[in-house]
Amino acid sequence: MCGIVGYTGINQVLPKLLKGLEKLEYRGYDSAGVYVNNGVNEDFLVREQGRVSMLELATKNKGISGTAGIAHTRWATHGGVSVKNAHPHMSSDGRFYLVHNGVIENYDVLRDTYLKDIKLNSETDTEIAVQLIDKFAKEEELSAVDAFRKMISLLDENSAYGFLLMDRQTPGLLYTAKKKSPLLIGVAEEGNVVTSDAAAMLDVTNDFIELMDGETAIISKDKVSLFDEHGVEIVREPFTINIDASETDKGVYPYYMLKEVDEQAVVARTLSQHYFDEEGHIKNIDSQITEAIKKADRIYIVAAGTSYHAGLVGKRYFEQWTGIPTEVHIASEFAYDQPLLSNKPFFIFLSQSGETADSREVLDNIVKQGYPSLTIANVMNSTLTREADFALPILAGPEIAVASTKAYTAQVIVEAILAYAVGDADIDLKHELARVAVEMQVIIDQKEVFNDIAKTALHNRHSAFYIGRGLDAAVAVEAALKLKEISYVQTEGFAAGELKHGTISLIEEGTPVFALLTQEKTAGLVRGEIAQVAARGAKTIVLASESIAKENDDYILPNVNELLMPLLAVIPAQLIAYYATLDRGLDVDRPRNLAKSVTVQ
Ligand code: F6R
């Protein structure tokens, strides 16, 4: 978590850093800070608790000027949310300034071994790192980069870091290093940048050099020097990221989430164009991938949160279309409680960001065990895509709102396409997906219906349920996550048949129960379950597909192939969550305590 950005060049740095931080705010937003050095013995450190907008206010009228600086937006790990714990952290004598993304696991041992005499100003692991750099520079007369490397050499193997350092004595230089936390170096005519996410610096450049684990770099306004883990200089060419800076703007939308919900039909079409040729044959999936899956006797889908929920839907495609048994696992559980595996497992990692630490831990483990793997992700060139044997993009475009929407539907679509490519489904998937895209747009265009539903069913309510069977049960858990994570209405997604085995006791007068009804085989049973909760006072809201719907149902979903109905059924849930959150006056894009990219375990 946490966002890092730095710049050294010929232009004023502060506006660039603040703009970059705004773009990175999705990674964490409990505090933010900036350090700017003007190169002629004047420097500025400003840190604020709260959003980047608070930091922006705090930097006004301070006469901050300079062409090199670093900045950070924080998601607290070690130490509470406060100004003193906000980054950049400064060494005691004010020489070094450091921002950090990650966790230093042995920070307390380092503190007790090396820093007994130093008065610490924060509760963070990051301050330990900057004080160590200062100590080694001073006591051992090391250069900034050597002191930086010495500090890094003391971190234990479980530590993760993306560091960005400035030294008052070398004001135009940025020092950076990474392990397990993403960092990119951007190169441009006007100067060079360091960032934890390219999206933050697209206004400066589209050309980035990837920093690999264990490497360090020294960056000036016109030079990037890269070093391997032994300090030997290496050369790496930049690659170009083909994202337009405007794609990461909200445009006319009040919130990113609404923009991203709206984009789903376009993403579905983009995926069709990318993965199907004119005749409906698969393209852009290497036969090595399909062959590797065909050799497997079991598929293991591993993911977290919404991506895990996308896996629950994808399981059906793999089992039905490839005939290969498929298990879906929560990454944080699998990582430390690996189940008994089949003889020839194939692993599929699903991730929007490609950086989720829980999933990375599993990938690390299974790579060591020699099992084949594929990552399906939105951010290509991310750790999970690089470290798996294969990678496929979901092409959803930047997803900025913390609540994942278009990445979910895009993951489900890519799972369907992959299963179709491996197996022999008896449908014309290209054609079916084209219908899905059309119907997605129909639902999206009826936003006001969901605004009304949210207001009538959820206003002043503290708890709610989503229920369904089969694929609807898989969508119900995602629907519930969407609602609870942004509106704070405690919501459970439930297999409808399971309610009567205990949870039905929570139903009281007015409890909203959203029922998803898109699966013919179980529709009658779910109708029964709706009646059972209604008889106990629940306010039921029935979202049913056209062929199953009855007269008084609350919303009729257009019909597409039943297996693809999750792609439609989830959209009302996303919009109901959005409007319920607006109704409560909350920040839709940035729910409390959360961050977009969960890079700590
Ligand atoms: C919820 C949400 C999270 C993520 C989860 C995994 O809306 O976005 O549950 O799905 O943190 O993240 P990725 O997909 O980046 O691995």
Side-chain angles (χ1 to χ4, degrees):
M1 348 271 268
C2 305
I4 288 179
V5 68
Y7 170 94
T8 174
I10 55 174
N11 292 317
Q12 281 299 315
V13 70
L14 184 64
K16 289 183 192 301
L17 295 181
L18 290 172
K19 190 151 187 209
L21 284 187
E22 269 167 30
K23 297 257 157 111
L24 287 176
E25 222 178 7
Y26 70 90
R27 294 185 74 99
Y29 34 79
D30 54 45
S31 53
V34 59
Y35 171 74
V36 170
N37 193 312
N38 76 358
V40 281
N41 241 352
E42 204 183 4
D43 56 1
F44 309 84
L45 175 67
V46 186
R47 301 180 297 172
E48 272 297 310
Q49 191 174 327
R51 301 283 159 89
V52 172
S53 53
M54 307 290 289
L55 176 70
E56 196 167 352
L57 264 182
T59 55
K60 286 222 160 38
N61 307 322
K62 287 210 162 67
I64 298 178
S65 150
T67 58
I70 56 178
H72 186 267
T73 176
R74 178 170 189 249
W75 188 87
T77 52
H78 287 87
V81 177
S82 63
V83 172
K84 71 173 186 192
N85 288 336
H87 302 213
H89 286 282
M90 180 180 80
S91 59
S92 303
D93 58 359
R95 174 173 168 189
F96 291 102
Y97 296 82
L98 182 70
V99 295
H100 169 217
N101 177 11
V103 177
I104 300 172
E105 296 271 348
N106 60 332
Y107 78 100
D108 46 355
V109 178
L110 295 173
R111 179 193 57 210
D112 298 346
T113 315
Y114 294 97
L115 300 173
K116 277 219 173 76
D117 307 334
I118 307 261
K119 182 183 168 314
L120 297 170
N121 299 306
S122 76
E123 300 143 6
T124 65
D125 49 347
T126 308
E127 191 191 347
I128 305 297
V130 77
Q131 300 289 15
L132 285 174
I133 295 169
D134 191 48
K135 180 183 171 78
F136 298 142
K138 222 182 271 158
E139 290 179 5
E140 300 180 26
E141 295 183 7
L142 296 180
S143 65
V145 70
D146 286 340
F148 186 36
R149 285 197 185 118
K150 169 143 191 191
M151 178 278 289
I152 289 168
S153 73
L154 298 175
L155 307 183
D156 72 0
E157 63 166 332
N158 292 327
S159 294
Y161 57 83
F163 285 126
L164 183 56
L165 174 76
M166 283 185 76
D167 173 6
R168 269 185 121 185
Q169 296 182 2
T170 55
L173 295 186
L174 308 179
Y175 303 88
T176 188
K178 85 140 222 159
K179 186 182 151 199
K180 294 192 205 166
S181 286
L183 270 189
L184 294 168
I185 300 166
V187 291
E189 281 288 300
E190 63 159 288
N192 295 317
V193 304
V194 177
T195 179
S196 51
D197 183 341
M201 278 290 152
L202 290 173
D203 284 331
V204 178
T205 184
N206 283 66
D207 297 328
F208 292 89
I209 300 170
E210 211 174 317
L211 198 62
M212 303 295 187
D213 282 359
E215 294 177 353
T216 48
I218 305 175
I219 298 141
S220 67
K221 68 178 174 5
D222 41 26
K223 188 163 183 235
V224 174
S225 309
L226 214 60
F227 304 90
D228 70 10
E229 56 193 320
H230 310 292
V232 177
E233 187 153 3
I234 48 174
V235 177
R236 183 168 303 130
E237 289 306 310
F239 64 97
T240 302
I241 292 189
N242 292 317
I243 303 175
D244 195 308
S246 65
E247 283 183 55
T248 60
D249 287 336
K250 276 204 288 269
V252 296
Y253 289 89
Y255 286 98
Y256 280 109
M257 183 179 174
L258 193 62
K259 174 174 183 263
E260 290 158 8
V261 168
D262 265 19
E263 285 169 351
Q264 292 178 104
V266 174
V267 174
R269 286 196 191 97
T270 306
L271 285 169
S272 258
Q273 280 159 13
H274 181 80
Y275 286 113
F276 290 104
D277 67 14
E278 291 290 317
E279 279 82 47
H281 299 127
I282 294 287
K283 60 175 184 165
N284 290 325
I285 298 184
D286 199 300
S287 59
Q288 281 187 36
I289 300 179
T290 48
E291 288 313 311
I293 298 177
K294 279 180 193 162
K295 280 189 205 134
D297 62 358
R298 192 166 284 256
I299 295 169
Y300 293 83
I301 299 177
V302 180
T306 288
S307 296
Y308 167 73
H309 296 157
L312 296 176
V313 176
K315 167 184 162 77
R316 179 67 68 88
Y317 306 142
F318 288 108
E319 294 203 325
Q320 194 147 327
W321 293 343
T322 71
I324 305 172
T326 302
E327 294 178 17
V328 193
H329 289 270
I330 294 172
S332 56
E333 284 299 305
F334 196 109
Y336 299 96
D337 258 322
Q338 183 169 306
L340 192 60
L341 298 179
S342 64
N343 286 332
K344 288 185 239 150
F346 185 89
F347 282 84
I348 298 180
F349 291 84
L350 292 177
S351 178
Q352 189 286 127
S353 62
E355 298 296 345
T356 299
D358 293 326
S359 302
R360 276 175 16 213
E361 184 68 29
V362 180
L363 179 56
D364 258 13
N365 294 345
I366 66 114
V367 166
K368 280 183 199 134
Q369 293 167 68
Y371 296 128
S373 56
L374 159 74
T375 293
I376 297 176
N378 199 25
V379 183
M380 296 305 272
N381 268 310
S382 54
T383 311
L384 283 168
T385 59
R386 273 201 318 267
E387 292 180 359
D389 298 315
F390 311 106
L392 289 175
I394 62 167
L395 304 174
E399 193 183 64
I400 311 283
V402 163
S404 182
T405 52
K406 61 178 179 172
Y408 171 86
T409 42
Q411 283 170 342
V412 170
I413 291 172
V414 174
E415 289 178 287
I417 294 173
L418 178 62
Y420 185 79
V422 174
D424 49 2
D426 196 15
I427 58 170
D428 176 351
L429 187 59
K430 184 183 179 197
H431 175 74
E432 299 290 345
L433 285 174
R435 278 185 54 207
V436 166
V438 170
E439 303 300 0
M440 276 177 156
Q441 196 57 54
V442 170
I443 300 172
I444 288 165
D445 289 343
Q446 293 172 357
K447 289 193 186 65
E448 280 314 307
V449 177
F450 306 113
N451 191 2
D452 288 346
I453 292 179
K455 280 198 180 116
T456 31
L458 291 164
H459 189 72
N460 283 340
R461 305 301 316 187
H462 300 296
S463 67
F465 289 87
Y466 269 93
I467 61 168
R469 283 185 179 231
L471 283 174
D472 288 334
V475 177
V477 284
E478 171 56 12
L481 177 60
K482 263 334 56 114
L483 183 55
K484 71 182 130 187
E485 73 175 318
I486 60 173
S487 73
Y488 316 145
V489 176
Q490 185 162 10
T491 313
E492 297 213 40
F494 240 81
E498 187 67 3
L499 267 187
K500 59 184 175 294
H501 296 291
T503 314
I504 200 165
S505 66
L506 291 173
I507 302 291
E508 49 189 43
E509 201 55 41
T511 304
V513 178
F514 296 87
L516 302 175
L517 261 162
T518 73
Q519 305 294 306
E520 200 91 44
K521 191 166 79 180
T522 49
L525 289 165
V526 179
R527 289 272 175 211
E529 277 129 11
I530 294 169
Q532 289 161 18
V533 291
R536 286 157 181 85
K539 161 138 189 63
T540 57
I541 305 98
V542 180
L543 311 166
S545 57
E546 216 169 333
S547 53
I548 297 174
K550 291 200 170 155
E551 205 178 323
N552 290 326
D553 288 348
D554 298 83
Y555 184 73
I556 317 268
L557 290 154
N559 264 119
V560 294
N561 183 298
E562 209 176 85
L563 287 173
L564 301 176
M565 279 307 291
L567 293 165
L568 300 189
V570 76
I571 295 175
Q574 296 167 345
L575 286 166
I576 289 168
Y578 174 82
Y579 286 112
T581 307
L582 275 194
D583 188 42
R584 280 153 199 258
L586 298 168
D587 184 341
V588 174
D589 285 341
R590 286 168 290 193
R592 69 185 174 211
N593 305 339
L594 285 170
K596 179 83 183 155
S597 185
V598 187
T599 53
V600 293
Q601 285 190 51

